[in-house]
């Protein structure tokens, strides 16, 4: 992560979804952390799927299957 | 002498065996050894018969030792002192070996028979002293001969003395006999030292040279190894290389406006377009994605024959992953190349054009179009057009259109869409190609119906705008198809937008509206993060899926946070809410606290903000004062 967390974008995203909701001072950083971990889990799952298919690259099918699992798990 | 030697050797062998066996410590072994020793002794000394004492190895050894000094081992060296000097190695070795061997059995039965040893030792002592005196006498005589001899003699004496010293110390009960030390001849000593030094220096130099060479070799190799292995993981290099290849392809594609290439490509695309058209008619969404790849493969393929066959096969087999995988590299590159080309094209054209294209793409992506009747019509139309239109420019145009359309499909989710055909049209304009060809090309594509309509309409307009060749466009209008309701929608905004291509005002308004609606997280940023976590090359299509996943994820996230905040009776999402969310996602557990995750994933500056650190002066960073938090 060389760019740094896009804090403004995160706030904007949250506002777009829930305009009435406010966010605390460091909240967007934790949101960013959550987002990173979500991507991490997604990447791991996709990688596992790719390995299972004995392919050296991650293909859309792998990511779709991974997304189903991870999105369900990260519903909270 | 021979007899003595023979006896010595036999004793040596005996003692060796005896010396070895006690170490092993097996009683049976000792018995065997004893038997062997007895036999050997009997052979050598038939006079000594096995007595009660001789049963034990100790007794045997004692007997041997007692009998040994009949012939003093040192006597011959004294007599042959000169001879030994000439060839000191042999006798010294023999003497040392014999003395060493003597020592071994001496050590073992020491407890039992010390007196006898003393007797023997005394004899030895005498012999040694005698030897030394003899050697001393001989020394000054030998000095005249050569320094080498003296050194050799001295080395010999020293070796002998060293060998004897421990023995004497042990056996005489720490009684030290003052040894007569000769006044060392300084000249001879120095000469010997110099010789040694020279020899050593030579050896050292040689060693140094070899070592340096070896070091140099190893250093370079290490350096190379170090330099080579700077990447996080090897795979990205290939990806980057692919990416590098793509820009290489891109200039090639953009610069090489040779009709030959295009004709080839267009031939391939047309042939396969037909096949693709038929294939695409049957399909689910997933199949469509696969076919997209196939199409891309097909259309971008430079090997016409191979691709044709492959396309047929794939169409029959519903596009296996293996095929797609094997060919994906090509289409991926081609796609990127085409994307690059499209990008360059976009630079050339007005931004409004691209906007329209993007919007069109998004709309198309969202719509679920049943293309079967349209595709058939299109295929027919394409067949017709093929006969009429010029081969080269048509091919090129079709190729461009196909590639661009695919490219646009790829980017549909992200960008607002205008027609890819527009871009292709622009290219065609530049290339002075028929518009009909574009229509043909769009037809075989799944979503081509709308495109065709719009393309043709646009082409007609663009033709009027740009080149005279587009004047033909209106002739081909009636060709395509029933516009779907969605096509009407994009057609409407596109038509008014087309004349406004030059004006950036509508485009900016659209763009700003788009951005206001949804502040999109930078796709490249997501790509970067995902690639870093995946540690594997990721297909380009996968990124679109990841993008959608992220959107869904953010939606879920905001919903959850709202629920949590509301549950806590708050209207602001606090850190506690986020921690609760992470806990429910099993990211934060009792074993894995939040701070650890923060430290692991976030950079330092954010860590400082999030984790309160206590510093001296009763201060906590970041400060949690009353006025900073919203509650009070």
């Amino acid at each position: 992560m060389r760019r740094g967390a896009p804090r403004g974008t995160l706030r904007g995203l949250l506002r777009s979804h829930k305009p009435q909701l406010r966010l605390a001072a460091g909240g967007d950083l934790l949101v960013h952390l959550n987002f990173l971990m979500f991507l991490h889990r997604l990447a791991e799952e996709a990688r596992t799927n790719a390995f299972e298919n004995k392919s050296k690259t991650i293909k859309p099918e792998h990511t779709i299957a991974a997304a189903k699992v991870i999105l369900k798990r990260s519903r909270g | 002498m021979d007899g003595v030697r023979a006896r010595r050797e036999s004793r040596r062998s005996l003692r060796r065996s005896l010396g070895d066996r006690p170490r092993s410590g097996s009683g049976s072994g000792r018995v065997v050894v004893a038997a062997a020793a007895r036999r050997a002794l009997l052979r050598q000394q038939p006079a000594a018969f096995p007595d009660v004492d001789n049963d034990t190895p100790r007794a045997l050894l004692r007997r041997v030792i007692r009998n040994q000094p009949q012939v003093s081992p040192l006597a011959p060296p004294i007599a042959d002192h000169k001879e030994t000097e000439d060839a000191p190695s042999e006798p010294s070795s023999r003497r040392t070996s014999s003395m060493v061997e003597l020592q071994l059995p001496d050590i073992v039965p020491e407890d039992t028979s010390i007196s006898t040893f003393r007797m023997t030792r005394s004899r030895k002592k005498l012999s040694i002293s005698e030897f030394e005196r003899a050697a001393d006498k001989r020394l000054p005589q030998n000095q005249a001969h050569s320094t080498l001899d003296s050194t050799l003699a001295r080395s010999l004496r020293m070796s002998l003395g060293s060998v004897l010293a421990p023995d004497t110390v042990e056996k005489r009960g720490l009684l030290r006999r003052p040894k007569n030390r000769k006044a060392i001849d300084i000249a001879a000593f120095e000469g010997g030292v110099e010789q040694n030094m020279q020899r050593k220096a030579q050896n050292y130099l040689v060693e140094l040279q070899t070592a340096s060479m070896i070091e140099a070799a190893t250093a370079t190799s290490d350096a190379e190894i170090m330099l080579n292995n700077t990447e996080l993981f090897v795979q990205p290099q290939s990806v980057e290389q692919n990416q590098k290849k793509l820009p290489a392809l891109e200039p090639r594609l953009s610069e090489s406006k040779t009709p030959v290439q295009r004709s080839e490509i267009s031939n391939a695309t047309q042939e396969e377009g037909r096949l693709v058209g038929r294939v695409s008619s049957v399909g689910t969404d997933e199949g469509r994605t696969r076919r997209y790849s196939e199409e891309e493969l097909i259309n971008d393929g430079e090997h016409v024959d191979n691709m044709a066959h492959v396309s047929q096969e794939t169409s029959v087999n519903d596009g296996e992953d293996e095929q797609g995988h094997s060919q994906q590299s090509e289409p991926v590159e081609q796609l990127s190349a085409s994307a690059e080309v499209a990008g360059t094209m976009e630079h050339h054209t007005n931004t409004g054009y691209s906007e329209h294209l993007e919007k069109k793409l998004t709309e198309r992506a969202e719509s679920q179009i049943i293309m079967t009747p349209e595709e058939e019509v299109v295929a027919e139309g394409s067949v017709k057009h093929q006969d009429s239109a010029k081969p080269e420019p048509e091919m090129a145009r079709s190729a461009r259109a196909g590639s661009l359309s695919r490219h646009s499909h790829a980017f549909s989710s992200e960008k607002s869409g205008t027609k890819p055909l527009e871009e292709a049209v622009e290219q065609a304009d530049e290339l002075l190609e028929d518009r009909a060809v574009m229509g043909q090309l769009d037809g075989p594509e799944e979503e081509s119906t709308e495109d065709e309509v719009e393309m043709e309409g646009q082409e007609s307009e663009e033709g009027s705008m740009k080149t005279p060749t587009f004047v033909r466009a209106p002739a081909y209008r009636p060709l395509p198809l029933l516009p779907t309701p969605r096509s009407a929608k994009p057609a409407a905004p596109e038509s008014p937008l087309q004349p406004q291509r030059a004006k950036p005002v509508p485009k900016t308004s659209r763009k700003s509206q788009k951005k206001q609606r949804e502040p999109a997280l930078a796709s490249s940023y997501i790509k970067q993060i995902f690639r870093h976590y995946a540690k594997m090359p990721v297909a380009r299509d996968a990124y679109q899926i990841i993008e959608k996943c992220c959107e869904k994820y953010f939606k879920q996230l905001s919903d959850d946070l709202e629920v949590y905040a509301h549950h806590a009776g708050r209207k602001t999402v606090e850190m506690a809410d986020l921690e609760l969310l992470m806990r429910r996602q099993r990211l934060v557990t009792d074993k894995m606290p939040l701070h650890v995750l923060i430290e692991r994933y976030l950079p330092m500056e954010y860590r400082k903000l999030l984790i309160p650190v206590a510093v001296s002066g009763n201060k906590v960073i970041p400060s949690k004062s009353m006025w900073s938090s919203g509650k009070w």
Side-chain angles (χ1 to χ4, degrees):
Chain A
M1 188 178 47
R2 285 141 217 189
R3 292 204 213 175
R7 300 182 74 172
T9 320
L10 290 174
R11 280 180 180 271
L13 274 172
L14 214 55
R15 212 180 309 126
S16 68
H17 283 297
K18 305 272 170 207
Q20 73 280 4
L21 203 60
R22 294 162 147 208
L23 193 56
D28 57 348
L29 290 176
L30 285 178
V31 166
H32 183 248
L33 172 67
N34 214 359
F35 177 59
L36 284 178
M37 301 198 72
F38 166 75
L39 280 180
H40 191 34
R41 279 180 295 173
L42 194 64
E44 288 293 328
E45 186 70 28
R47 195 154 141 249
T48 314
N49 288 355
F51 275 139
E52 278 167 15
N53 286 15
K54 290 167 221 150
S55 114
K56 287 226 161 179
T57 61
I58 291 177
K59 295 197 200 156
E61 306 91 56
H62 308 145
T63 50
I64 289 169
K68 286 184 190 167
V69 176
I70 302 293
L71 276 173
K72 176 144 191 203
R73 207 192 297 174
S74 64
R75 243 193 288 131
Chain B
M1 282 296 290
D2 293 335
V4 168
R5 276 178 205 167
R7 250 177 259 152
R8 251 187 248 149
E9 286 167 358
S10 66
R11 271 175 234 145
R12 264 182 233 155
S13 64
L14 184 78
R15 269 178 219 128
R16 270 178 204 150
S17 62
L18 287 168
D20 290 334
R21 297 302 160 83
R23 284 174 215 153
S24 66
S26 61
S28 62
R30 282 191 179 173
V31 169
V32 169
V33 169
R38 252 178 262 155
R39 274 183 237 124
L41 283 164
L42 284 167
R43 276 183 237 130
Q44 290 164 15
Q45 299 163 350
F49 288 106
D51 300 333
V52 181
D53 296 329
N54 293 340
D55 285 345
T56 60
R58 278 180 181 176
L60 284 167
L61 284 168
R62 205 188 307 147
R63 191 159 32 95
V64 164
I65 288 156
R66 277 185 217 153
N67 297 334
Q68 184 199 21
Q70 288 166 6
V71 179
S72 163
L74 296 171
I78 294 165
D80 304 337
H81 183 62
K82 287 178 185 176
E83 293 170 5
T84 55
E85 281 181 359
D86 294 337
S89 59
E90 286 180 13
S92 64
S93 63
R94 238 196 288 149
R95 258 174 262 125
T96 50
S97 59
S98 64
M99 274 180 272
V100 166
E101 282 145 16
L102 284 169
Q103 284 174 36
L104 286 172
D106 291 338
I107 292 160
V108 170
E110 206 179 49
D111 303 335
T112 54
S113 56
I114 295 168
S115 57
T116 51
F117 288 152
R118 277 185 189 155
M119 280 162 60
T120 56
R121 288 286 165 247
S122 63
R123 282 178 218 164
K124 278 180 192 169
K125 270 196 234 174
L126 289 166
S127 62
I128 290 161
S129 60
E130 285 171 9
F131 169 68
E132 283 177 354
R133 283 165 209 153
D136 294 341
K137 287 172 198 168
R138 294 224 166 48
L139 248 184
Q141 293 172 13
N142 293 331
Q143 277 177 11
H145 292 300
S146 63
T147 53
L148 260 174
D149 291 340
S150 63
T151 51
L152 280 168
R154 275 191 206 107
S155 66
L156 179 71
R157 222 185 304 125
M158 281 167 56
S159 67
L160 284 169
S162 62
V163 168
L164 287 168
D167 186 29
T168 55
V169 166
E170 286 172 347
K171 305 310 159 195
R172 297 171 194 173
L174 300 176
L175 288 173
R176 296 205 183 195
R177 208 168 169 225
K179 288 203 172 175
N180 303 335
R181 299 204 180 267
K182 279 74 201 177
I184 293 166
D185 187 14
I186 291 168
F189 176 72
E190 282 176 0
V193 165
E194 283 170 11
Q195 282 172 359
N196 277 344
M197 291 295 287
Q198 283 168 8
R199 271 180 239 150
K200 278 180 193 172
Q202 288 167 5
N203 294 338
Y204 188 59
L205 279 170
V206 170
E207 287 170 2
L208 268 179
Q209 286 169 1
T210 54
S212 64
M213 284 176 60
I214 292 159
E215 284 172 4
T218 52
T220 52
S221 66
D222 290 337
E224 287 169 0
I225 290 161
M226 294 281 287
L227 287 167
N228 288 343
N229 221 0
T230 53
E231 299 293 336
L232 273 174
F233 41 97
V234 184
Q235 293 149 349
Q237 282 180 359
S238 64
V239 174
E240 288 162 12
Q241 283 168 6
N242 284 340
Q243 290 173 357
K244 284 172 194 165
K245 281 181 205 162
L246 296 173
L249 280 170
E250 153 201 351
R252 231 200 302 155
L253 281 172
S254 59
E255 292 168 359
S256 69
K257 302 203 172 179
T258 59
V260 180
Q261 282 184 4
R262 276 177 222 134
S263 64
E264 290 175 359
I265 295 162
S266 57
N267 281 326
T269 53
Q270 284 200 344
E271 289 173 5
E272 287 143 358
R274 270 176 255 160
L275 292 162
V276 169
R278 266 150 223 175
V279 173
S280 59
S281 63
V282 184
T284 59
D285 289 343
E286 293 175 0
R288 200 188 289 174
T289 57
R290 257 185 260 145
R291 267 167 229 127
Y292 282 150
S293 63
E294 288 170 16
E295 288 177 349
E296 292 154 7
L297 287 169
I298 291 159
N299 286 309
D300 297 337
E302 297 166 8
H303 313 287
V304 178
D305 297 335
N306 297 339
M307 294 304 296
H309 293 303
V310 168
S311 65
Q312 286 171 4
E313 291 170 0
T314 52
S315 64
V316 172
N317 300 330
D318 255 1
E320 298 299 335
D321 283 348
E322 304 157 14
Q323 292 170 346
H325 179 63
S326 61
Q327 298 158 0
Q328 248 184 15
S329 60
E330 279 187 1
V332 167
E333 292 178 5
Q334 296 280 353
L335 238 193
S336 59
S338 66
E340 297 295 349
V341 173
T344 56
M345 295 305 300
E346 283 181 357
H347 287 308
H348 297 308
T349 63
N350 295 326
T351 50
Y353 237 23
S354 58
E355 252 195 346
H356 299 314
L357 256 175
E358 289 172 349
K359 283 177 204 165
K360 182 74 197 207
L361 287 167
T362 47
E363 286 155 358
R364 252 182 257 143
E366 292 168 357
S367 69
Q368 294 179 2
I369 300 155
I370 300 165
M371 310 298 295
T372 50
E374 298 167 342
E375 287 168 2
E376 288 172 359
V377 178
V378 169
E380 292 169 12
S382 64
V383 170
K384 287 179 201 170
H385 286 298
Q386 275 182 357
D387 301 333
S388 57
K390 296 175 194 173
E392 293 185 354
E394 286 173 2
M395 302 305 186
R397 237 194 181 187
S398 61
R400 290 266 178 261
S403 60
L404 281 168
S405 59
R406 249 150 252 121
H407 165 64
S408 61
H409 289 318
F411 286 89
S412 62
S413 63
E414 295 175 11
K415 304 171 189 171
S416 62
T418 52
K419 298 174 197 170
L421 301 176
E422 288 184 350
E423 291 179 354
V425 170
E426 293 169 14
Q427 289 180 354
D429 295 343
E430 294 179 5
L431 303 168
L432 306 177
E433 293 168 348
D434 278 347
R435 194 175 53 102
V437 181
M438 296 290 285
Q440 291 175 20
L441 293 167
D442 297 333
E445 294 171 11
E446 292 181 16
E447 302 170 351
S448 58
T449 54
E450 296 176 11
D451 303 344
E452 279 195 15
V453 179
E454 293 156 6
M455 253 210 8
E456 294 193 352
Q458 286 185 356
E459 286 171 1
S460 62
E461 292 176 356
E462 292 166 6
S464 63
M465 295 265 298
K466 300 223 170 180
T467 57
T469 53
F470 286 116
V471 177
R472 290 186 222 170
Y476 294 101
R477 262 189 189 172
L479 266 181
L481 358 166
L482 318 166
T484 61
R486 298 213 184 230
S487 66
K489 185 185 170 188
E494 282 168 353
S495 49
L497 284 166
Q498 288 165 14
Q500 295 172 2
R501 255 177 277 134
K503 299 176 192 173
V505 171
K507 171 203 96 180
T508 50
S509 68
R510 288 213 170 235
K511 270 197 175 176
S512 60
Q513 283 175 21
K514 280 272 172 181
K515 286 217 166 165
Q516 280 167 4
R517 266 178 251 160
E518 189 178 337
L521 205 61
S523 70
S524 59
Y525 185 56
I526 297 174
K527 261 193 192 182
Q528 188 184 347
I529 295 172
F530 190 81
R531 206 184 319 140
H532 173 261
Y533 283 136
K535 295 189 179 66
M536 269 174 71
V538 185
R540 279 170 200 283
D541 303 336
Y543 286 122
Q544 274 81 58
I545 294 155
I546 292 161
E547 187 84 8
K548 287 182 200 165
C549 280
C550 291
E551 293 167 14
K552 279 191 195 170
Y553 162 76
F554 275 118
K555 213 177 282 182
Q556 278 183 3
L557 181 86
S558 58
D559 291 334
D560 293 337
L561 289 176
E562 189 188 11
V563 166
Y564 296 154
H566 184 72
H567 178 76
R570 280 185 265 111
K571 284 188 187 172
T572 316
V573 175
E574 288 287 334
M575 314 290 231
D577 298 329
L578 277 164
E579 180 162 1
L580 176 62
L581 172 74
M582 295 185 73
R583 221 170 237 285
R584 290 196 64 142
Q585 289 177 357
R586 313 280 175 81
L587 289 168
V588 174
T589 61
D590 296 332
K591 291 179 189 173
M592 176 66 72
L594 180 62
H595 289 332
V596 169
L597 289 176
I598 289 171
E599 282 173 13
R600 217 180 270 180
Y601 282 88
L602 293 184
M604 181 67 182
E605 47 269 17
Y606 299 149
R607 200 195 307 173
K608 276 189 204 159
L609 294 174
L610 286 170
I611 300 175
V613 177
V615 294
S616 70
N618 199 18
K619 210 164 97 171
V620 175
I621 297 166
S623 63
K624 291 190 174 177
S625 60
M626 272 170 36
W627 50 267
S628 67
S629 67
K631 282 188 178 182
W632 306 69

